[in-house]
Amino acid sequence: MQVLILCRRLIRISPGPFHCPNLRFGFPHINRCRFLTLVLKRQESLPSHSIYLSLHLSKLSSVTRRNRKTHTNCMEKIPHLLVLCGKTDAEEDCAWSLKENKNVKLADGEELVVLLHTEQAQKDPHTFNFKSYLDSLSTRHFGRFLIWSPRLPSTHDLVSQNFFELPLGAVCVAEIQSKGRGLLEYSHSGRAKNVWDSPSGCLLFSYTLQMENGHILPLLQYVVSLAIIEAIMMVCGSKGFPYLDVRIKWPNDLYLNGLKVGGVLCTSTYRSKKFNVSAGVGLNLDNEKPTTCLNAVLRELTCSANQLTKEDILATFFQKFEELFEIFLNQGFQALEDLYYKAWLHSGQKVVIEEKDEESSAKNIVVTIQGLTSSGYLLAIGEDNKNYELHPDGNSFDFFKGLVRKKI
């Protein structure tokens, strides 16, 4: 029905023929209405919001005419949509200013269309509910300015590249990411960045904050991980849902029933004696493939149709993060260690480390994980009763298959 309504609207706007050879539908010359119907059926990643497609029809047409010569994929040229909103008049004024001055940019000069949330002519009930989120939010600093998009290359890149244009504590949420960010890994060929598609059904967000103490900065990712665990517990408890045993796999993955359901990424730059941090979280709420998701496990535990929502989790996350972050800044991570160790998977875990002796023969050494060191690495005790700090060797995507020990 949504496609039919959209097509009627498009016929009135642009009934002419539409040419896009690179889509390879089997015929080079089709009506615009028929073209967009096929796109909606074939391109699951394309946002289905009629306002988005209606706004950009003329842009799509002009891009496609240019593509007759360049033979580039016209769908990649559709501008990304950002919707801005704030909790109070101050944040709403900031949203208006950002839109009018066109301050927000994407990498590589990709085009943007920016709207205020009040300008949305039609709201899709299956996308993010601004009112529900803002009504649930009770923070003083974080999450009060929101950027939402149906599809972005990366929420993390957007807040990082526009850090000084956005109010501190701003959050960017996307329904889908085409170039989601992950940990920076080291391989034999050098430094590489994990990038992947993040499908619909996940809570994908990144936000900004600042710190001055560089000594505790590496531990921030553990505070973010702990906050998302606490938020899930709090929402389940407040709604009477069964407990979901989401745990932290060091350093920054989230696991449920032995399967990964999320992850955390923190990056920073240094300027004017402050670390400007972009923190990102991905949490699988509704996509059961390829492994599992929180709401699928919730359905297995209860007969009701109750489920966790992105709005509740995000608002509660910022409430918990703001509390934990204040403790972290004032008292250090030691004040949060007991809470963190209850949430992680590794207390008492035995790890086998392969080391080479002077004769270059391999030797397996067993150590037992005790906790974290002050620098954020794993603290372990060896069979010789000596303490060791365990570091990833940088050559393995599984941190526990490439650990190097250092006596402390």
Side-chain angles (χ1 to χ4, degrees):
M1 180 62 70
Q2 184 180 10
V3 172
L4 292 176
I5 294 172
L6 175 60
C7 288
R8 292 193 190 101
R9 185 180 304 172
L10 297 178
I11 289 171
R12 291 196 299 270
I13 297 175
S14 53
F18 194 88
H19 182 67
C20 190
N22 282 332
L23 286 174
R24 298 179 182 175
F25 286 140
F27 36 85
H29 208 70
I30 55 176
N31 182 275
R32 285 193 183 98
C33 171
R34 175 63 176 156
F35 165 76
L36 285 171
T37 304
L38 288 169
V39 168
L40 286 172
K41 290 180 179 179
R42 290 174 178 259
Q43 300 288 329
E44 294 180 359
S45 61
L46 183 67
S48 60
H49 317 295
S50 58
I51 178 174
Y52 179 74
L53 291 173
S54 299
L55 280 169
H56 304 313
L57 176 63
S58 59
K59 184 65 180 179
L60 179 62
S61 300
S62 63
V63 166
T64 306
R65 284 193 294 271
R66 292 196 300 271
N67 285 348
R68 292 178 185 178
K69 296 182 179 180
T70 61
H71 293 281
T72 57
N73 190 331
C74 63
M75 297 311 300
E76 294 178 356
K77 298 295 184 178
I78 299 177
H80 295 281
L81 173 67
L82 298 183
V83 182
L84 313 181
C85 74
K87 185 169 177 65
T88 65
D89 289 343
E91 286 99 15
E92 291 281 77
D93 289 344
C94 180
W96 181 87
S97 177
L98 284 173
K99 178 197 170 184
E100 292 300 309
N101 297 321
K102 300 181 180 180
N103 296 120
V104 181
K105 308 292 182 183
L106 282 181
D108 303 322
E110 293 185 73
E111 294 187 69
L112 277 175
V113 170
V114 180
L115 295 177
L116 304 180
H117 72 102
T118 53
E119 296 174 328
Q120 284 185 287
Q122 181 177 342
K123 297 179 175 64
D124 189 332
H126 300 293
T127 59
F128 197 84
N129 188 318
F130 298 98
K131 186 178 187 305
S132 174
Y133 165 70
L134 292 174
D135 287 348
S136 301
L137 189 69
S138 59
T139 59
R140 290 173 291 131
H141 305 293
F142 293 102
R144 297 172 64 88
F145 182 88
L146 173 72
I147 302 172
W148 175 84
S149 178
R151 180 182 177 89
L152 277 177
S154 165
T155 61
H156 203 88
D157 287 347
L158 186 138
V159 299
S160 299
Q161 293 160 7
N162 297 279
F163 192 96
F164 296 103
E165 303 296 339
L166 302 175
L168 202 59
V171 59
C172 177
V173 179
E175 298 298 315
I176 295 171
Q177 289 184 134
S178 58
K179 298 178 183 178
R181 290 282 301 276
L183 270 179
L184 290 177
E185 300 286 355
Y186 287 85
S187 64
H188 294 294
S189 59
R191 198 171 189 177
K193 186 166 59 178
N194 285 344
V195 177
W196 59 80
D197 286 335
S198 303
S200 177
C202 298
L203 173 58
L204 309 167
F205 68 95
S206 300
Y207 63 102
T208 62
L209 62 121
Q210 285 184 327
M211 292 180 60
E212 296 181 1
N213 187 348
H215 295 292
I216 64 172
L217 181 62
L219 300 166
L220 175 66
Q221 61 182 325
Y222 306 144
V223 181
V224 178
S225 300
L226 183 56
I228 197 72
I229 296 286
E230 290 286 301
I232 294 168
M233 290 176 56
M234 187 172 178
V235 173
C236 286
S238 65
K239 294 185 176 295
F241 295 168
Y243 170 70
L244 293 178
D245 191 24
V246 181
R247 296 295 192 95
I248 299 168
K249 180 182 177 182
W250 186 85
N252 59 0
D253 286 336
L254 304 173
Y255 271 66
L256 175 60
N257 296 343
L259 298 171
K260 183 175 178 178
V261 292
V264 170
L265 173 69
C266 295
T267 62
S268 67
T269 59
Y270 187 72
R271 177 175 169 180
S272 301
K273 298 183 179 181
K274 290 185 178 180
F275 292 93
N276 304 305
V277 182
S278 301
V281 176
L283 184 66
N284 191 351
L285 290 181
D286 293 305
N287 196 316
E288 297 184 45
K289 297 179 180 180
T291 55
T292 190
C293 62
L294 269 63
N295 281 327
V297 175
L298 197 59
R299 286 192 293 271
E300 294 173 359
L301 297 175
T302 178
C303 298
S304 67
N306 294 329
Q307 62 179 9
L308 300 169
T309 67
K310 297 177 183 179
E311 295 82 3
D312 285 339
I313 293 292
L314 186 62
T316 309
F317 165 80
F318 280 123
Q319 177 184 334
K320 298 304 298 184
F321 177 78
E322 194 163 272
E323 295 172 4
L324 297 174
F325 186 59
E326 186 172 352
I327 295 172
F328 177 58
L329 292 181
N330 295 330
Q331 304 176 41
F333 189 73
Q334 287 183 337
L336 302 174
E337 277 187 343
D338 289 344
L339 197 59
Y340 181 82
Y341 293 147
K342 289 179 182 178
W344 82 335
L345 292 167
H346 309 298
S347 294
Q349 178 181 344
K350 293 186 181 298
V351 178
V352 178
I353 299 175
E354 185 179 280
E355 292 186 348
K356 293 183 178 181
D357 56 24
E358 296 178 355
E359 299 178 356
S360 297
S361 59
K363 179 182 179 182
N364 289 335
I365 299 171
V366 179
V367 297
T368 304
I369 296 175
Q370 303 294 304
L372 295 171
T373 65
S374 59
S375 57
Y377 290 107
L378 293 174
L379 172 65
I381 187 170
E383 294 176 327
D384 55 3
N385 289 324
K386 294 180 180 179
N387 289 330
Y388 295 92
E389 186 176 66
L390 306 183
H391 298 246
D393 67 357
N395 295 323
S396 173
F397 284 96
D398 186 340
F399 281 92
F400 288 87
K401 289 184 178 179
L403 290 171
V404 178
R405 68 173 182 167
K406 174 185 176 183
K407 188 181 294 185
I408 57 176

